[in-house]
Amino acid sequence: MIALVDCNNFYASCERVFQPKLEKKPIVVLSNNDGCIIARSNEAKALGIKMGAPAFKMKTIFDQHKVHVFSSNFALYGDLSRRVMQILDEGSPAIEIYSIDEAFLDLKGVNKLNQFSTDLRSKVGKWTGIPVSIGIAPTKTLAKVANRVAKKYTKTGVFLMKKPRTIQEVLKHVSVEDLWGIGRQYAKFLYANGFKTALDLVKANESWIKNNMSINGLRMVKELKGISCYPLEYQPPRKKNICTSRSFGLEVFTQEELEEAVSSYASTCAMKLRKEKSLASSILVFIKTNPFKDSGQQYNPCQKVTLDVPVSDSMEITKQALMALKNIYKKGFSYKKAGVIVGDIVPENSKQLSLFSNKDSFKVKSIMCAVDHINQKMGRNKIRLAVQGFDRKWRLKQEKLSPCYTTRFSDVLEVKV
């Protein structure tokens, strides 16, 4: 049996952990630069606040219903996610971390599944303050369905789908658009062909499913029948590319400011590569003007650089990114966003050398290891490339940022006895 553990309204729940007064109060969390709504508490959902809605359009509702609004605090969310996953890992036979707020658990050999899940849910709640829902079923797709039932229709937050009769009864009430892997277009297509519920798909001809929904669609249907097609991945797959991009808090006009931003993003990509013990063979840089600006011409160029030798060296990746930026930058535009994507990623131990490369790779690796160690111990970007700058007028706008309670000593709560 497989369990899917999902943190309820995760970002909003993280904000509540250190502010109990927010319990049962409407909460929304905003995207970068406090732009759009990316998370809502149940109370905010009940007010009709839509996911992805621009924050400025919701201001009237925020004021009228005293909605608590937060800038995204990914340092806090990431740390609480790590704590939740650690508890799940210690309390179960095996785990696949699926996202920042979801994990699949292998419950093979576990007796009394309901009691085990209830105890695990209680432990996560007591130790972290994060409420979770747990759905248990024979396959990943069915576990997703069971989790949905646990979250919306049970008081315990746990739901077990094991008996064929129970599975069939639940699938009869699950719309096709609510299934894992069914997007908006596939949902329209299925509705047009008479498939409205998950049970309709289970009863469908498998040849028709394969011909019209590809092999992935067939696997999904088999999973709904209780046949496992997606085993747990205990080791996360190596990323095919890594992207770091941000919208600017203020519009950027000069090449110097863009260089600061691009070099910072390139350095972050390099750090992520080293963390995964990977190397990148290509670098893509893009810059964008403001698409919501009525006046003025739009300009959204990009350039890709292919490297002779794969690297994870911040200095080399930043150097190549800045050369690409120089080729695409144009005066006269105000830029709102920039980004760096490192791609064609290979394992660190599969590096193909060049006959003409004269760089001492061992020396560079030692330098980067020392930089990462100091930054991890003393704080992010304590050591940085000079081109990354210090003023950073372009940095994110986070006017409603909560304290980093668990990752910054200055923000640790003080308990008065």
Side-chain angles (χ1 to χ4, degrees), residues 105 122 135 139 144 210 226 259 291 313 319 354 376 386 394:
L105 307 181
S122 176
T139 68
K144 277 273 190 178
K210 184 177 180 181
E259 285 178 349
D313 171 14
K319 176 184 173 183
S354 169
Q376 184 177 11
W394 44 268

Side-chain angles (χ1 to χ4, degrees), residues 35-318:
C36 299
I37 296 164
I38 59 171
R40 306 159 295 163
S41 66
N42 289 333
E43 295 79 10
K45 294 175 185 177
L47 296 175
I49 297 173
K50 302 295 183 183
M51 182 73 85
F56 73 91
K57 290 187 176 181
M58 297 287 108
K59 193 175 185 309
T60 302
I61 295 179
F62 293 166
D63 294 340
Q64 183 179 352
H65 297 280
K66 297 181 180 179
V67 177
H68 297 267
V69 182
F70 293 93
S71 302
S72 50
N73 187 343
F74 293 117
L76 176 65
Y77 309 153
D79 187 61
L80 286 177
S81 171
R82 179 187 61 79
R83 295 171 187 231
V84 170
M85 299 306 167
Q86 186 175 0
I87 295 168
L88 298 179
D89 189 18
E90 292 173 352
S92 59
I95 182 174
E96 175 193 331
I97 299 175
Y98 183 66
S99 67
I100 192 171
D101 61 346
E102 290 179 288
F104 289 104
L105 307 181
D106 185 351
L107 301 186
K108 188 182 298 181
V110 175
N111 297 319
K112 299 181 180 179
L113 292 168
N114 265 318
Q115 187 62 50
F116 171 86
S117 300
T118 301
D119 292 344
L120 185 60
R121 181 177 184 270
S122 176
K123 186 176 182 180
V124 172
K126 286 181 180 178
W127 288 20
T128 68
I130 301 295
V132 300
S133 299
I134 303 179
I136 314 157
T139 68
K140 280 185 173 181
T141 304
L142 285 174
K144 277 273 190 178
V145 174
N147 185 276
R148 183 181 178 86
V149 176
K151 185 178 293 186
K152 292 194 170 187
Y153 304 107
T154 69
K155 292 182 179 180
T156 61
V158 174
F159 185 70
L160 172 62
M161 283 200 329
K162 187 176 182 180
K163 296 179 180 179
R165 183 182 299 177
T166 304
I167 295 173
Q168 190 172 33
E169 186 63 29
V170 171
L171 294 183
K172 186 167 64 176
H173 296 92
V174 177
S175 300
V176 290
E177 68 263 25
D178 294 328
L179 288 173
W180 186 34
I182 297 293
R184 187 178 300 175
Q185 294 304 318
Y186 259 136
K188 289 181 180 178
F189 171 76
L190 290 171
Y191 268 109
N193 284 275
F195 299 98
K196 296 182 179 180
T197 69
L199 189 60
D200 293 336
L201 284 176
V202 169
K203 294 178 179 179
N205 182 283
E206 289 191 357
S207 296
W208 186 93
I209 295 292
K210 184 177 180 181
N211 292 334
N212 291 275
M213 297 181 66
S214 77
I215 189 66
N216 288 326
L218 180 59
R219 286 172 180 163
M220 180 199 66
V221 171
K222 284 182 176 294
E223 288 245 327
L224 290 174
K225 293 179 179 181
I227 303 169
S228 179
C229 297
Y230 300 110
L232 264 66
E233 297 178 354
Y234 304 119
Q235 293 294 329
R238 191 176 299 275
K239 294 179 180 177
K240 296 181 180 179
N241 54 63
I242 294 174
C243 175
T244 302
S245 65
R246 299 284 187 275
S247 295
F248 304 135
L250 298 172
E251 290 188 346
V252 170
F253 295 87
T254 68
Q255 184 175 345
E256 289 73 20
E257 287 179 303
L258 278 177
E259 285 178 349
E260 284 188 5
V262 167
S263 60
S264 294
Y265 303 156
S267 184
T268 299
C269 286
M271 181 268 294
K272 291 178 179 178
L273 282 170
R274 295 192 294 274
K275 190 174 181 180
E276 290 200 347
K277 299 187 183 303
S278 298
L279 305 170
S281 304
S282 67
I283 303 165
L284 184 141
V285 177
F286 64 87
I287 50 178
K288 294 184 177 183
T289 52
N290 190 346
F292 301 105
K293 201 170 184 178
D294 296 329
S295 59
Q297 187 179 359
Q298 297 295 318
Y299 180 56
N300 305 309
C302 67
Q303 185 170 81
K304 183 177 181 180
V305 178
T306 301
L307 305 175
D308 294 331
V309 178
V311 296
S312 61
D313 171 14
S314 295
M315 295 176 285
E316 183 63 25
I317 290 176
T318 300

Side-chain angles (χ1 to χ4, degrees), residues 14-23 70 402-403 405:
C14 288
E15 298 293 351
R16 277 182 174 149
V17 169
F18 296 96
Q19 299 188 60
K21 64 181 181 181
L22 298 179
E23 197 66 37
F70 293 93
S402 56
Y405 298 104

